[in-house]
Amino acid sequence: FSAFISLPPLLIVISGMCCFSLAHHSFSDIKQAFQHALSDSASPNLQKDLSVIATVRKTTYGSGVAGTLIGLIQMLQSLDDPSSIGPAMAVAILTVLYSVLIVEFLIDPLTNRTLSRLDIRGQSKPIKLSIWCLKSLLPGMREYHVGKIIKI
């Protein structure tokens, strides 16, 4: 189990996720989106919160891919020293693993939690979500939630 724990890949994913998310949204917007996702009531600004969570989701995956490229570059630079190929390959693989774990076990459940408190029946006008937001969230959403937003 200790082979799966490494600080450099985790730092690459976490720092990339934070930096790139902050490049798109303010810290207060990110904080509010996660507070609303963790609260028991419906979000007052659903589109904004889902947009923020979708951005965090994409930047987490992007950081994992960037970490993989960093690890592969390190590996290719040290082909003449076989003892350094393993650690570089570990960085390449673990960054993807960490990004997938963060998205699938933290971010997607928060998205589903936010959408599960959505009550369309009591609303007179349809909820408008941007196409970008929906396309970003669809891979992580359960079919039930997709059907609530887009009448399937």
Side-chain angles (χ1 to χ4, degrees):
F1 185 73
S2 64
F4 292 102
I5 299 173
S6 178
L7 192 58
L10 187 60
L11 287 176
I12 290 171
V13 173
I14 297 293
S15 62
M17 174 184 70
C18 293
C19 291
F20 292 124
S21 294
L22 286 170
H24 291 277
H25 301 283
S26 69
F27 177 76
S28 63
D29 288 345
I30 295 171
K31 181 180 171 186
Q32 282 180 345
F34 281 98
Q35 284 176 341
H36 292 153
L38 293 169
S39 72
D40 290 330
S41 59
S43 171
N45 194 347
L46 181 69
Q47 178 160 352
K48 186 176 188 179
D49 290 348
L50 288 176
S51 176
V52 168
I53 292 173
T55 299
V56 173
R57 183 179 196 276
K58 283 186 168 191
T59 58
T60 304
Y61 274 135
S63 298
V65 171
T68 298
L69 294 174
I70 290 169
L72 291 175
I73 290 168
Q74 288 177 342
M75 187 181 73
L76 291 173
Q77 285 178 340
S78 60
L79 283 177
D80 56 343
D81 181 17
S83 64
S84 61
I85 293 175
M89 192 62 183
V91 168
I93 294 173
L94 287 176
T95 52
V96 170
L97 175 68
Y98 291 156
S99 68
V100 167
L101 291 177
I102 290 170
V103 168
E104 296 299 325
F105 291 111
L106 293 175
I107 297 172
D108 283 351
L110 289 176
T111 303
N112 287 325
R113 182 177 164 86
T114 301
L115 291 170
S116 69
R117 291 189 304 272
L118 178 64
D119 184 22
I120 291 185
R121 292 169 295 192
Q123 297 185 359
S124 58
K125 58 183 180 178
I127 295 172
K128 295 181 180 177
L129 293 175
S130 68
I131 297 299
W132 176 85
C133 186
L134 277 175
K135 284 173 66 177
S136 301
L137 293 171
L138 283 176
M141 290 170 38
R142 296 191 313 239
E143 187 176 316
Y144 167 73
H145 295 128
V146 176
K148 287 176 79 175
I149 294 174
I150 350 177
K151 310 238 186 229
I152 296 178

